[in-house]
Amino acid sequence: MRSLMNTSTAKILDGKALSARMRESIGKDVAELTHRHGRAPGLAVILVGSDPASQVYVRNKKAACEKLGIDSLSYDLAADTTQQHLLGLIGELNADPKVDGILVQLPVPDHINPETLIEAIDPAKDVDGFHPYNVGRLAARKPALRSCTPYGCMKLLAETGIDCHGKEAVIVGASNIVGRPMALELLLAGATVTVTHKFTVDLQSHIERADIVIAAAGKQGLVKGDWIKPDAIVIDVGIHRQQDGSLTGDVEFDAARKRAGWITPVPGGVGPMTITMLLSNTVEAFKNHVGD
């Protein structure tokens, strides 16, 4: 283990670089599948309202699809769109043979129940990996379509070359989007998993013993750098815009980097991987759909 007095810094887990390599491979796969089956994989993205962050995410997803040859179908709906209308649209997309993946961009307006929308999506087209069926498959150790951000985190972990079996993994945050499926991913990889949340007593003590820290609470600087165990792997899912326009995460990066063995930057760590895994899931859904 690295001495606590050692001034060397952690290796950077570069999500941009890994994402670029994976997208190159996905693009080749898409071209081959399109040639073989006479159509490209199709992804339908539903955006309700005009949330600026959501608009950026949707625009980035569409651009990524176009670059790789995936057909991107956009449904930009007014904020007052009814839940009934959305359910009708999802039903149409479920039945459309040219649509392999369906994604509802979250958050949705308050009058719409996101869980109802997610459960209405055909699990075979649930490329976000949020449907209870797909989460259940992961829990049963028979993964189908997997939640994009946790799956991306696992790809980043694999880049370290470190075997997760027997490692102490601590997840900060218990959301349905990241924390809970992340726990299932790490269990599948053989780690001993602790999930911390807003009711956790003495968060510091949990993090101090962790070989792997996944910070996904959505609270800037929550994870202090001096809590990090020497040589631990730190993956920061949080992203926050500061007053000067710069981005930061849930982890005190500069201090944590002095202790960790590996760490993701913000931006450029988990973010690029989330969209890449969405693209990967869309191709996987297409293969399942056409029986490839």
Side-chain angles (χ1 to χ4, degrees):
M1 281 291 183
R2 179 185 298 151
S3 166
L4 296 184
M5 299 302 292
N6 198 317
T7 57
S8 62
T9 56
K11 296 177 183 177
I12 295 295
L13 279 170
D14 188 340
K16 283 186 177 179
L18 175 57
S19 175
R21 295 201 307 273
M22 289 187 66
R23 290 189 194 192
E24 183 177 358
S25 176
I26 293 168
K28 291 177 181 178
D29 207 7
V30 169
E32 182 182 335
L33 290 166
T34 302
H35 176 73
R36 188 155 71 240
H37 296 284
R39 73 170 181 88
L43 173 64
V45 180
I46 301 171
L47 173 65
V48 186
S50 55
D51 178 75
S54 292
Q55 289 178 327
V56 171
Y57 293 145
V58 168
R59 190 161 59 245
N60 289 344
K61 289 168 184 175
K62 185 174 182 179
C65 283
E66 290 175 352
K67 189 170 183 179
L68 269 59
I70 294 172
D71 283 342
S72 178
L73 309 171
S74 297
Y75 296 86
D76 297 340
L77 307 177
D80 60 357
T81 300
T82 66
Q83 181 166 295
Q84 184 177 5
H85 178 81
L86 280 168
L87 291 173
L89 174 58
I90 290 170
E92 292 173 10
L93 295 172
N94 282 338
D96 189 335
K98 294 183 179 179
V99 173
D100 304 289
I102 302 169
L103 180 154
V104 177
Q105 181 65 47
L106 302 177
V108 291
D110 291 342
H111 68 280
I112 296 169
N113 185 326
E115 286 80 12
T116 300
L117 300 184
I118 290 166
E119 291 182 22
I121 296 171
D122 180 346
K125 297 189 178 188
D126 167 41
V127 287
D128 255 339
F130 293 162
H131 194 286
Y133 173 83
N134 286 321
V135 177
R137 284 286 299 258
L138 183 58
R141 294 181 286 184
K142 295 180 179 179
L145 293 174
R146 297 154 84 158
S147 298
C148 297
T149 297
Y151 198 14
C153 290
M154 295 308 297
K155 295 292 185 182
L156 286 165
L157 280 172
E159 285 292 286
T160 68
I162 295 170
D163 187 353
C164 289
H165 284 84
K167 295 292 187 294
E168 290 277 348
V170 172
I171 300 166
V172 186
S175 72
N176 287 347
I177 293 174
V178 181
R180 292 169 191 264
M182 189 76 243
L184 296 174
E185 288 282 2
L186 286 163
L187 281 172
L188 189 65
T192 300
V193 182
T194 300
V195 181
T196 65
H197 42 75
K198 64 182 179 181
F199 301 115
T200 296
V201 176
D202 194 5
L203 175 63
Q204 178 178 348
S205 67
H206 291 286
I207 293 174
E208 285 177 336
R209 63 179 170 75
D211 302 305
I212 300 167
V213 177
I214 310 290
K219 293 187 177 181
Q220 182 177 334
L222 176 65
V223 177
K224 307 306 177 188
D226 60 6
W227 294 356
I228 301 300
K229 180 180 179 180
D231 288 328
I233 303 170
V234 180
I235 295 184
D236 193 348
V237 181
I239 186 162
H240 313 275
R241 188 169 297 280
Q242 302 187 94
Q243 287 186 343
D244 64 0
S246 63
L247 298 174
T248 187
D250 285 4
V251 178
E252 289 184 343
F253 179 84
D254 290 338
R257 191 181 181 189
K258 294 176 182 178
R259 297 173 63 87
W262 296 83
I263 192 168
T264 58
V266 178
V270 175
M273 292 303 300
T274 296
I275 294 182
T276 297
M277 301 322 299
L278 170 68
L279 301 169
S280 177
N281 278 351
T282 301
V283 173
E284 186 68 23
F286 175 86
K287 289 179 179 178
N288 293 336
H289 190 181
V290 299
D292 195 277

